[in-house]
Amino acid sequence: QKVVNFFPGNDGSDASSTNKLLGISDQTVATFYEASRKLYDERHYEKAANCLKLITFLSPFNPTYWLALGMVQHKQHHLQEAILAYSIAATSGQDMLETRSLLVSAYAEIEMYDDAEMVLNSLIELIEKQGVAAQWKSKIESLRKQVNFKTKA
């Protein structure tokens, strides 16, 4: 299955980002991001999500911001929204192993096991390609159980 790469570059930057078009500096966006992290740490998840939605609008080509939005949405059990954010982050052209593992979990939580299995298989391929299978062994086993638990029921 071919995935359209949403990101024009692998560094998370693009001259046509909304923040640049509006004259908002990357530093200002980074400051908003730090504020959203603080809100998240203080368990103000809805406020953190709103801040991250603004950030992803201003700087849509940065996969870190999409990952953070996915994590906040996941924490609030807004799983469809989390899946969308994780999926955008995962198409960045970067390997984003942790993003893919979170995507597997979110798919499994809403019982979309075929999608979870597809992402899990691509994650395993990336892990093997990078030669980091040993570090990911227990996480992969846990994800397999999460996916296979329901597919065999």
Side-chain angles (χ1 to χ4, degrees), residues 74 79 83 86 99-111 116 119 139 142-143 146-147:
H74 203 153
L79 298 173
I83 287 169
Y86 291 149
T99 301
R100 291 171 194 267
S101 72
L102 291 167
L103 185 54
V104 170
S105 293
Y107 273 132
E109 286 181 52
I110 61 170
E111 301 181 359
V119 175
K139 181 67 174 180
S142 174
L143 290 170
Q146 202 175 358
V147 172

Side-chain angles (χ1 to χ4, degrees), residues 17-81:
S17 291
T18 308
N19 67 305
K20 290 186 178 50
L21 295 172
L22 295 174
I24 299 171
S25 71
D26 290 338
Q27 182 58 42
T28 300
V29 175
T31 301
F32 288 149
Y33 178 68
E34 288 305 315
S36 72
R37 287 182 57 153
K38 185 176 182 197
L39 289 166
Y40 180 87
D41 290 343
E42 294 172 354
R43 299 176 190 227
H44 299 290
Y45 301 124
E46 188 64 34
K47 289 178 182 178
N50 289 336
C51 190
L52 286 161
K53 288 174 189 175
L54 173 63
I55 292 166
T56 56
F57 172 76
L58 292 172
S59 189
F61 303 114
N62 187 320
T64 301
Y65 299 155
W66 287 103
L67 171 59
L69 178 57
M71 292 173 74
V72 172
Q73 297 290 29
H74 203 153
K75 190 74 166 177
Q76 296 179 96
H77 304 287
H78 299 162
L79 298 173
Q80 293 285 355
E81 293 88 348

Side-chain angles (χ1 to χ4, degrees), residues 101-130:
S101 72
L102 291 167
L103 185 54
V104 170
S105 293
Y107 273 132
E109 286 181 52
I110 61 170
E111 301 181 359
M112 293 180 69
Y113 298 109
D114 290 340
D115 293 316
E117 187 172 23
M118 181 182 69
V119 175
L120 178 58
N121 290 335
S122 73
L123 174 62
I124 292 168
E125 285 177 27
L126 279 173
I127 287 169
E128 290 171 354
K129 184 178 176 182
Q130 290 184 11

